[in-house]
Amino acid sequence: MTGPGDAMHALVERLYPLCRSITGDGVRDTLATVGEYVPLTVHEVPTGTQVLDWTVPQEWNIRDAYIADATGKRVVDFAASSLHVLGYSVPVSATMPLAELRGHLHTLPEHPSWVPYRTSYYTPDWGFCLAQETLDALPDGAYEVRIDSTLANGHLTYAEHVVRGQVPDEVLVSCHVCHPSLANDNLAGIAVATFLARSLAAQTPYYTYRFLYAPGTIGAITWLARNAERIDRVKHGLVLACAGDRGQLTYKQSRRGDAEIDRVMRHVLTASERPHRIHEFTPYGYDERQFCSPGFNLGVGSLSRTPYAGYPEYHTSADNPDFVSPEAMADTLAVCREACAVLDRNRRYRNLSPYGEPQLGRRGLYDALGGRSDTKRTQLAMLWVLNLSDGEHSLLDVAERSRLPFDTVAAAADALRAAGLITS
C-alpha cells in the first residue's frame, strides 16, 4: 500500500521530463497534469501587459535543439534533457568551429558530470548547457548548431485552485512552476502543494485556501497586480519550495517577523521536535519577497527543506527524481497540514464566568477526562484557556505561554465552549 509520499514522488516523475520556463507550452502541460489531481482555473495574461513595474514578456517555446559533430552525431541533445538549452534561447541555425561555440556553452567544472541550469529571460541570447566531461571530449572542428525555438507575442500562464472555507479570508499557498527538469526545485513543492490541497478539500476548513501555481517572480508579480483590490483577504501565506530533499526543514519568516504564520510555523516545528531551522526574512529567495514587498507586506513565509543554493545539486541535472524522497515530501506535507490545523483553530475567546474559577467538576468536564492518560495536562489546559480568554489572547498565545501542545489547548477550548463557559 502506497502513501502520500509515494504518490507525490510519482507526480514528480511525471512532471520531470517537461520543459518549463516562465511562459510557454511546458507550463501549460505542467498545469494540465496537475489539473488531473485538483481542478485548476488557468489564467492567460497577454504579452505586453503592464504588471506593477514589470511587463509580461514574449512567450518562449522550443521544439528541438542540438549540437552535432561532422558525422551528424548529436553530442548535445535537447531531447535527452531540457536542461541542455539555455532557457529562452533565441532560434539558431549555424555551423561554427568549436572555438567560437565555446562562448555559448555552460558547464560546471567543479562537478564535471553534471549539467547546469541557466536562463536568459530578459536578454536575447542563445546557448547550451552540458557536462564538463562532454565538453572536454569534443575535438576541434566544425559543429552544426540548431535551436528550433520561437520567441513571440503570446501569454504568461498561471493557475489557481481554491478550497472554499467557512470564511472568505484566505490562506495563500504558492509554488513556482517555471523550472524545467529540476525535481526538488520545484517539482517537490508543486507536489506538496497539490496534495495539501487535496487533503484540505476533504475537510471543511475555517479559512479559504488559495493555491497559486505560477512562474517565479514574474508570475507572482502578475498575480499581485491582477488581485491588488482583493489582497486584503490574504491573512496568511506560505511559499513552498525545495520540499523534497533529505535535509531538515527550514522556515523563512515573513518580512513582519511576527505574523501569525511565523508564530504558527515556529510552534509547529518546535512542538513536533523535528530538526529544523528558522531563518529571518531577507529580500532574496523565492516569491515570498514579492508577497512581502513593502507595499503589500503580507504575512507570507517560506517553507523548504534545504534552502535554495544550500545543496550542491541545486540548479543542476543532479536535482533529479532520485534526489528527492517520498519520506521527505510526506514529512513536509505533514508539517503543512499541522500548520493549517493550527491556523484554522486559532481563535480568541471570552470567558463567560471570569470572576473566580468556574466549577468544572459540576459541569462534568473533569469526569469526562477521567480515563485519559493526559488528564492532568488537559485540566491544566482548561485552566489556562479560562484565564487567558479575555478577548485579547488567542489559543496560540495560550499554547506558547503554557508550553502545552496546541492540540491540547484547542481541545480544552472546545470542551469549555460546549459547556457554555467561553464564547468566541
Side-chain angles (χ1 to χ4, degrees), residues 2 17 21 36 44 46 109-110 124 132 189 210 230 244 267 304 315 324 329 335 356 359 364 370 386 389 391 408 418:
T2 60
S21 188
E36 297 175 21
E44 299 275 5
E110 65 274 25
Q132 181 67 45
R210 183 175 299 272
R230 54 177 302 281
H267 178 81
S304 63
H315 280 192
V324 298
M329 284 189 284
V335 168
Q359 189 176 13
L386 285 167
S389 289
T408 302

Side-chain angles (χ1 to χ4, degrees), residues 217-417:
T217 304
I218 186 64
I221 286 171
T222 298
W223 184 85
L224 286 165
R226 288 163 58 90
N227 291 273
E229 76 288 346
R230 54 177 302 281
I231 211 72
D232 59 339
R233 291 188 187 179
V234 178
K235 304 303 181 184
H236 321 284
L238 198 60
V239 172
L240 292 175
C242 301
D245 67 86
R246 293 166 175 81
Q248 64 183 352
L249 284 156
T250 301
Y251 177 70
K252 176 182 173 182
Q253 298 181 138
S254 72
R255 178 178 180 267
R256 300 178 191 174
D258 62 349
E260 189 171 340
I261 186 65
D262 300 326
R263 297 178 58 209
V264 166
M265 292 305 303
R266 288 195 299 263
H267 178 81
V268 166
L269 289 169
T270 301
S272 71
E273 299 184 345
R274 289 178 173 91
H276 68 277
R277 292 168 293 214
I278 304 292
H279 288 178
E280 293 185 359
F281 174 80
T282 63
Y284 183 79
Y286 291 111
D287 285 329
E288 68 278 357
R289 69 189 197 275
Q290 311 306 332
F291 303 122
C292 294
S293 56
F296 295 108
N297 196 26
L298 297 174
V300 176
S302 177
L303 182 65
S304 63
R305 300 195 74 85
T306 306
Y308 54 87
Y311 50 96
E313 297 84 357
Y314 178 76
H315 280 192
T316 78
S317 58
D319 184 1
N320 56 46
D322 291 336
F323 180 67
V324 298
S325 76
E327 295 78 16
M329 284 189 284
D331 186 48
T332 307
L333 175 62
V335 168
C336 290
R337 293 178 64 178
E338 291 166 24
C340 291
V342 174
L343 281 174
D344 271 4
R345 299 176 72 186
N346 190 30
R347 303 281 184 280
R348 288 178 172 83
Y349 290 94
R350 185 172 298 280
N351 189 337
L352 297 178
S353 182
Y355 299 101
E357 180 183 302
Q359 189 176 13
L360 301 182
R362 177 166 61 84
R363 293 172 171 85
L365 292 172
Y366 280 163
D367 293 341
L369 301 170
R372 292 173 55 129
S373 60
D374 61 345
T375 298
K376 291 186 180 298
R377 188 171 68 175
T378 306
Q379 291 173 352
L380 182 59
M382 286 187 180
L383 298 178
W384 271 108
V385 171
L386 285 167
N387 191 270
L388 293 181
S389 289
D390 52 9
E392 300 295 328
H393 293 86
S394 68
L395 294 185
L396 184 57
D397 293 324
V398 177
E400 289 177 341
R401 188 163 175 180
S402 67
R403 294 183 174 85
L404 292 169
F406 182 88
D407 283 349
T408 302
V409 170
D414 289 343
L416 292 169
R417 185 174 58 178

